[in-house]
Amino acid sequence: MTADLVVFGSVNQDLGIRVSRFPAAGETLSGRSLSRSPGGKSANQAAAGALSGARTAFVGRVGTDPGGAMAMEALRACGVRTDSVTVSSTTTGTAIITVDDAGENSIVVIPGANGEVTAEDCPEALLHAARWVLLGMEVPAEAVAGVAARARAAGAAVALNLSPVPEAGFPLEDVDLLIVNEGEAERLLRSRGQAESRGQAEAWAGPGAVGTVPDLASALGVPTVVMTRGARGALLAQAGRAAVAIASPTVRAVDTTGCGDAFAGVLVGRLACGDDPVLAAERAASFAAEAATAPGAMGSYPRTVTW
């Protein structure tokens, strides 16, 4: 089995709750509905990558429970190869997602089988055949670092969605493309003693940054950084170059759950297909915006795309 894009990380069963607004501390609210669907940041990214046209394989762990079977069926329906998914005796990871009327969400994740993932779960043959490997942080950090090093040694390009940012930091020497949101970029800069004020990450990634202050990619020590900004799109920063602003289409958001994952999966999926970084990011922004117009994560992703 070969794939141009290998996604290594988490898979969950999502429990979605719709509310008019988020409760305050100690407050009880009535929810409008409860749904169960497949998810997990890395599984969502794998689905998006496959739907974008990339030959995609997912590596992770599920339990023997119905949630794991549901997630595997959903991934295969999106065209993702799941031969390298390990079945664990632990329950499948679970995410409890609350969505308000504005489409914003709050999420609590119970790792389950994701907490047992190891670097050895990823077959060597997959890494040698891949053009890109996309890593996520909802599995043990040592497993992610191990696969990054193995992928680099195998000749694959490495993309890392550093979300959430570990308290202990994370080594970036094997990373070719770093995907973070504004808050995560700020935390990384602060951890390196390079963020002096709020908004530093966007200032360093913005037009005109090169030649006046360090560009964001150089500041973080990776060749390319993509900083997502929600409805405002993203900034593509490459070391030594002025950043490129990537616009997001204007849509009426119903549910933003999984939109960041949609962006990351399509971005790296299209890079694996040969797109240049700007085109890949533009296509990723368009796909993610469309995903926001429907409820859920993986289930909201467009099934038909024309590039």
Side-chain angles (χ1 to χ4, degrees), residues 24-278:
E27 181 182 14
T28 299
L29 288 181
S30 293
R32 292 178 177 167
S33 63
L34 173 66
S35 62
R36 186 185 300 269
S37 59
K41 291 184 70 65
S42 296
N44 290 340
Q45 291 165 7
L51 291 169
S52 79
R55 294 192 307 165
T56 304
F58 174 73
V59 180
R61 292 197 181 205
V62 296
T64 57
D65 49 273
M70 173 183 63
M72 291 301 95
E73 182 179 353
L75 283 171
R76 288 190 287 267
C78 290
V80 178
R81 302 178 183 187
T82 60
D83 309 57
S84 298
V85 174
T86 300
V87 179
S88 172
S89 59
T90 307
T91 57
T92 301
T94 301
I96 301 170
I97 305 168
T98 305
V99 182
D100 70 4
D101 282 348
E104 296 297 326
N105 62 71
S106 64
I107 304 174
V108 176
V109 176
I110 303 167
N114 295 319
E116 298 183 348
V117 170
T118 71
E120 289 68 36
D121 290 347
C122 193
E124 196 70 23
L126 268 186
L127 297 176
H128 279 279
R131 298 186 66 181
W132 278 87
V133 176
L134 174 56
L135 308 172
M137 296 302 300
E138 289 186 330
V139 295
E142 59 271 20
V144 179
V147 173
R150 290 175 58 210
R152 171 61 61 86
V158 177
L160 172 64
N161 182 201
L162 195 59
S163 177
V165 178
E167 291 290 337
F170 189 85
L172 299 177
E173 60 266 19
D174 292 318
V175 176
D176 299 287
L177 167 63
L178 181 67
I179 305 168
V180 288
N181 63 27
E182 293 169 279
E184 290 156 354
E186 293 279 353
R187 286 193 288 277
L188 282 172
L189 288 172
R190 283 198 298 272
S191 72
R192 292 167 174 254
Q194 294 167 308
E196 299 173 0
S197 61
R198 187 174 180 83
Q200 186 83 67
E202 185 157 356
W204 283 18
V210 174
T212 56
V213 295
D215 62 87
L216 185 61
S218 296
L220 294 177
V222 295
T224 303
V225 176
V226 174
M227 187 174 75
T228 59
R229 305 189 295 169
R232 293 185 296 142
L235 289 171
L236 170 65
Q238 295 178 286
R241 303 183 189 180
V244 177
I246 306 297
S248 177
T250 300
V251 298
R252 185 178 183 278
V254 171
D255 184 355
T256 59
T257 304
C259 290
D261 302 334
F263 180 93
V266 173
L267 171 66
V268 186
R270 292 311 305 172
L271 289 173
C273 289
D275 286 1
D276 67 73
V278 173

